[in-house]
Amino acid sequence: MARRVLEATSTRHKSADRAGWALAPELKDGVGGLRDLHALFWLARIAETSLSNETLDQAGDLLLAVREALHAEVKRKSDRLRIDLQPAVARRMGLDSDDGPNILMSEVHSAARAIEHGSALRMSELAGQVLGGPKRSGVARQLAPAVRLEDGRLHADGGVHIDPVEDAMQLLAIASETGRPIAPKSLVWLEETFARPPMDTWTATTRDSFLQVLAGPHATQTLEIMDHVGAWNVLLPEWGGVRGLAQHDPYHRYTVDGHSFVAVAKVKRAIENDAFGRAAAAEAGDLKTLYVGTLLHDVGKGSGEDHSVAGERFAHAAATRMGFDEAQIDEVAALVRHHLLLVDTATRRDLDDGAVIEFVVETVRHPRRLRLLYLLSVADGNATGREGWSDWKGTLVRELYLRVLTAMETGELPTRSDVAMRAREVEAYEPTLAGRVEAALDTLPPSYLSATSTPDIADDIRLLLTPPQPGQVKHRVDEGTEAGQLSITVAVVDRPGTLARTAGVLALNRVSVLTANAFATTHGIALQRFVVRPHQDVDWHRFGEDLEAAYSGRLAIEARLGKKVIDYRPAKPFVPEVRVLQEESAHSTVIEVRAPDALGLLWAITASLTELDLDIHVAKIDTLGERVVDVFYVRSSWGEKLNDEQALEVTRSIEHRVSQLFGD
């Protein structure tokens, strides 16, 4: 019977989310959920022993109360505490403040972690009692003064150092390096060791062991053990603000602290799997500050202010406590302050605009710091999830990194991609286009090359070699680089409103836009590329017919969308955040729009720009979970940047059209 309980628990754990780290935890069947307590209860009954544990009892009572509040909120029985339900459940739990959902989820995650950790230890102990644990060889090997390996488990030999925290960190460093499990009694010893007030300063030994933890191949698991045994309260009191903190961006997979732990491990992956990352690490040399900066990059979340600004302050204090020198402290703080710089700039700005490169150069200042920021960006992105990182985003970040690095090392600001070099790459990929690629690429804006892969360029050239005539639309639908995604390319004679027309047709066919780029050739052809996630029942033949109808004046997009979005309207009206940025580009005004994602939103924004007779020179569309950041480089109909009066009208027009489409 005991074996069946253990096997059932093990089987469930293999497919279940970990409730203590997931943003939408499964309260019953998740790892650390109520069923783990049930399994522990039955094992204790079989062992005919008492199961008195105040920590587990309190954690179980909390999850049970939250589960009951959840069941009162949903019509259909469900034990998953979805993100959209968390505010309502928090209110039912008496947490009525704006911060109620954060407080609720912090308590839920803490309870689930206590159950996951505590039940695993207790079940291991009970299994040994009932089944008679594995035979002990008695062979031990001293791995370090404070650590020995015995029967495959790490044991603490405390008392080697005057400071017991040094012994504890030595044990954790070896766990991170070897991946060996820590013996239950030594886990209890760790809890007792870290049951003390926060440290004002670290010893050099403690810092060195901590850095070994971060750089170890089993860093994520070890950082979680530190959470279970209370190490963060002692080492980094700033960490309390993000422990178990839920992320409000659905493209994240983990809590803030869980994401940070994974990001630390992804640093090593970025170095091993990315040729540019490998070169950056080799040229940067010492990576201590990178690992600490990666751990702390989101430590400012939940502070009530810009998390990069708050994080910089927290990171400075933490690095000082660790005993780094002044230059290292400044570097850690700068990495945290600017950890989003490369990603945000690459995805929202024209990389062939010299002002963009100059801004990044002036912000980062040092080539070494740029190399570390590149590695942090890759690690952070890959720890976020599929929605937060893609081949498209990775390519843009790498392109920006290389351009800024070149500018730093040569003192010259690159303003144009090498058309001839890319033409040779395309012709090598597709020999049938030999001799015709460079001339076609010369008609496209410089930013096209940095945003487009070689295979896509080859396909685009085929479209442009026999360009569409007035009233004609050329398009193709290809498989995307990620599962469930498609790439849609549209070529049409450029005129005001082309992007709005295509966006409207996509919305009418229930096709969700994840990313998009739009360009215009000097020959007057608009080239648009969308990475999309379509509804299962999209009729692509009908989609093509709708495109033709839209561009020939036979489709009333606004009227049809007004009816279409009724069934897909957001739960409550919203006002988009519109930023008109005059200094971001020397040749265009940058319009940046942030809003919740909604069917038809891209059409509403682009139709507003069309209404004002603005020329969209470059468009960059990025959907991040349930929010979008859409960026447009626009000029007036006579080719100039917008004046203050026009800028004000842009905001007014976008807000009005969004209200008309999505308001009550």
Side-chain angles (χ1 to χ4, degrees):
M1 185 64 178
R3 201 177 300 279
R4 288 177 59 187
V5 171
L6 293 169
E7 290 175 352
T9 301
S10 176
T11 300
R12 175 169 51 82
H13 282 187
K14 289 177 182 177
S15 59
D17 290 334
R18 299 173 66 205
W21 306 91
L23 296 185
E26 166 64 52
L27 301 177
K28 183 178 180 181
D29 290 326
V31 180
L34 292 167
R35 195 175 291 278
D36 278 353
L37 289 181
H38 298 160
L40 183 59
F41 169 79
W42 284 111
L43 201 57
R45 288 287 298 272
I46 295 169
E48 297 181 349
T49 187
S50 170
L51 191 60
S52 177
N53 186 298
E54 184 178 356
T55 299
L56 291 179
D57 290 344
Q58 291 177 351
D61 289 345
L62 176 74
L63 292 194
L64 187 59
V66 173
R67 182 172 178 246
E68 290 175 352
L70 173 63
H71 287 174
E73 189 64 33
V74 296
K75 296 179 181 178
R76 192 185 326 180
K77 184 179 178 181
S78 173
D79 294 319
R80 185 169 295 280
L81 186 53
R82 300 197 320 259
I83 294 175
D84 60 310
L85 295 172
Q86 289 167 13
V89 173
R91 287 192 294 271
R92 287 185 178 274
M93 295 290 294
L95 301 170
D96 294 324
S97 66
D98 291 341
D99 204 33
N102 282 342
I103 297 172
L104 169 71
M105 295 314 298
S106 180
E107 292 179 354
V108 167
H109 288 133
S110 293
R113 292 179 191 185
I115 292 172
E116 178 182 358
H117 180 62
S119 64
L121 286 178
R122 192 75 175 107
M123 287 185 78
S124 176
E125 178 184 332
L126 292 173
Q129 293 179 21
V130 175
L131 302 175
K135 293 181 179 180
R136 304 297 180 186
S137 65
V139 177
R141 182 158 54 99
Q142 204 71 27
L143 300 183
V147 185
R148 59 187 164 83
L149 178 67
E150 184 175 335
D151 294 314
R153 294 190 176 191
L154 298 176
H155 295 256
D157 288 332
V160 175
H161 300 98
I162 296 175
D163 183 352
V165 172
E166 292 186 354
D167 292 342
M169 291 308 303
Q170 188 175 87
L171 172 63
L172 292 164
I174 292 176
S176 181
E177 181 61 36
T178 65
R180 296 282 192 175
I182 297 176
K185 288 185 178 180
S186 292
L187 285 171
V188 173
W189 174 80
L190 284 173
E191 292 178 10
E192 294 170 350
T193 299
F194 287 115
R196 51 175 289 172
M199 297 170 60
D200 293 327
T201 57
W202 293 18
T203 67
T205 301
T206 295
R207 183 183 66 245
D208 290 346
S209 294
F210 182 72
L211 291 169
Q212 289 177 44
V213 170
L214 298 182
H218 305 279
T220 301
Q221 301 93 305
T222 307
L223 293 170
E224 288 184 12
I225 291 173
M226 292 174 64
D227 177 83
H228 291 312
V229 300
W232 296 109
N233 298 330
V234 176
L235 299 172
L236 293 174
E238 298 86 356
W239 201 253
V242 296
R243 183 180 188 269
L245 183 64
Q247 307 262 24
H248 296 291
D249 298 313
Y251 58 93
H252 272 285
R253 293 177 291 181
Y254 310 114
T255 58
V256 175
D257 56 342
H259 162 75
S260 299
F261 294 164
V262 174
V264 168
K266 294 292 185 181
V267 169
K268 191 175 291 291
R269 293 283 299 275
I271 296 171
E272 294 172 349
N273 299 342
D274 181 334
F276 295 95
R278 192 157 49 249
E283 290 160 354
D286 187 347
L287 301 181
K288 295 185 183 72
T289 57
L290 169 63
Y291 279 105
V292 175
T294 303
L295 175 72
L296 299 175
H297 74 279
D298 277 345
V299 73
K301 286 190 173 180
S303 63
E305 59 180 306
D306 183 324
H307 82 279
S308 295
V309 175
E312 178 184 27
R313 186 171 63 253
F314 294 157
H316 192 281
T320 301
R321 188 182 309 110
M322 291 178 189
F324 284 117
D325 63 36
E326 186 174 347
Q328 292 171 317
I329 293 169
D330 289 344
E331 191 162 79
V332 170
L335 289 175
V336 174
R337 175 69 178 86
H338 301 301
H339 72 275
L340 294 175
L341 176 66
L342 296 185
V343 173
D344 284 354
T345 303
T347 56
R348 301 173 189 174
R349 297 295 180 263
D350 183 352
L351 301 190
D352 284 285
D353 189 332
V356 171
I357 306 302
E358 186 173 16
F359 169 74
V360 179
V361 169
E362 292 177 351
T363 301
V364 180
R365 296 182 179 275
H366 307 294
R368 166 182 162 79
R369 192 167 294 176
L370 176 67
R371 292 182 172 102
L372 298 181
L373 268 180
Y374 174 72
L375 289 165
L376 172 50
S377 299
V378 175
D380 183 19
N382 279 291
T384 298
R386 190 180 66 181
E387 297 285 350
W389 192 256
S390 62
D391 291 342
W392 168 78
K393 188 170 290 187
T395 298
L396 290 179
V397 170
R398 182 168 60 248
E399 181 73 18
L400 173 62
Y401 162 69
L402 293 175
R403 291 183 183 215
V404 175
L405 186 60
T406 299
M408 285 181 168
E409 293 181 338
T410 65
E412 298 179 1
L413 295 175
T415 58
R416 176 74 177 170
S417 298
D418 190 337
V419 173
M421 181 184 70
R422 290 302 298 274
R424 289 193 296 271
E425 291 177 0
V426 174
E427 290 173 356
Y429 173 80
E430 184 50 80
T432 61
L433 297 175
R436 297 182 287 177
V437 175
E438 187 170 350
L441 292 181
D442 275 329
T443 70
L444 285 154
S447 54
Y448 169 81
L449 292 181
S450 62
T452 313
S453 68
T454 295
D456 284 337
I457 291 177
D459 289 336
D460 292 348
I461 297 298
R462 294 190 187 94
L463 288 178
L464 296 175
L465 289 176
T466 55
Q469 301 303 305
Q472 181 186 15
V473 184
K474 287 193 169 187
H475 81 282
R476 67 173 192 272
V477 180
D478 304 309
E479 290 293 327
T481 57
E482 303 285 345
Q485 296 180 6
L486 295 174
S487 174
I488 298 176
T489 305
V490 176
V492 66
V493 174
D494 193 24
R495 58 176 176 169
T498 54
L499 186 55
R501 285 182 172 85
T502 305
V505 171
L506 288 167
L508 286 174
N509 286 271
R510 295 176 60 194
V511 177
S512 299
V513 177
L514 301 178
T515 64
N517 286 282
F519 312 95
T521 73
T522 56
H523 293 167
I525 301 298
L527 190 64
Q528 307 162 358
R529 177 172 292 104
F530 303 83
V531 175
V532 304
R533 178 173 290 123
H535 183 265
Q536 290 181 344
D537 300 327
V538 172
D539 182 339
W540 292 109
H541 178 72
R542 173 65 180 274
F543 171 78
E545 291 181 339
D546 285 348
L547 274 179
E548 294 283 352
Y551 281 99
S552 61
R554 295 182 287 108
L555 189 68
I557 293 176
E558 183 170 6
R560 289 175 177 269
L561 267 181
K563 294 182 178 181
K564 189 78 171 181
V565 300
I566 291 176
D567 295 332
Y568 305 98
R569 185 173 287 163
K572 57 183 179 180
F574 63 90
V575 177
E577 178 188 348
V578 182
R579 302 173 65 199
V580 181
L581 308 171
Q582 296 284 22
E583 306 303 321
E584 294 290 320
S585 170
H587 56 72
S588 302
T589 297
V590 177
I591 310 296
E592 184 174 289
V593 183
R594 299 167 182 249
D597 189 24
L599 185 72
L601 177 64
L602 180 57
W603 171 83
I605 297 170
T606 51
S608 301
L609 300 177
T610 300
E611 178 186 39
L612 297 173
D613 200 22
L614 300 181
D615 172 33
I616 300 176
H617 179 60
V618 174
K620 289 193 168 189
I621 313 303
D622 195 12
T623 301
L624 304 173
E626 294 183 359
R627 293 192 63 81
V628 300
V629 180
D630 296 346
V631 177
F632 308 89
Y633 280 67
V634 304
R635 300 169 184 164
S636 67
S637 57
W638 51 91
E640 296 181 358
K641 296 175 70 171
L642 307 188
N643 59 36
D644 291 342
E645 184 178 359
Q646 289 172 306
L648 182 62
E649 291 303 303
V650 165
T651 301
R652 190 170 287 152
S653 178
I654 292 174
E655 289 180 350
H656 173 73
R657 195 175 288 268
V658 169
S659 175
Q660 288 289 103
L661 188 63
F662 300 114
D664 291 331

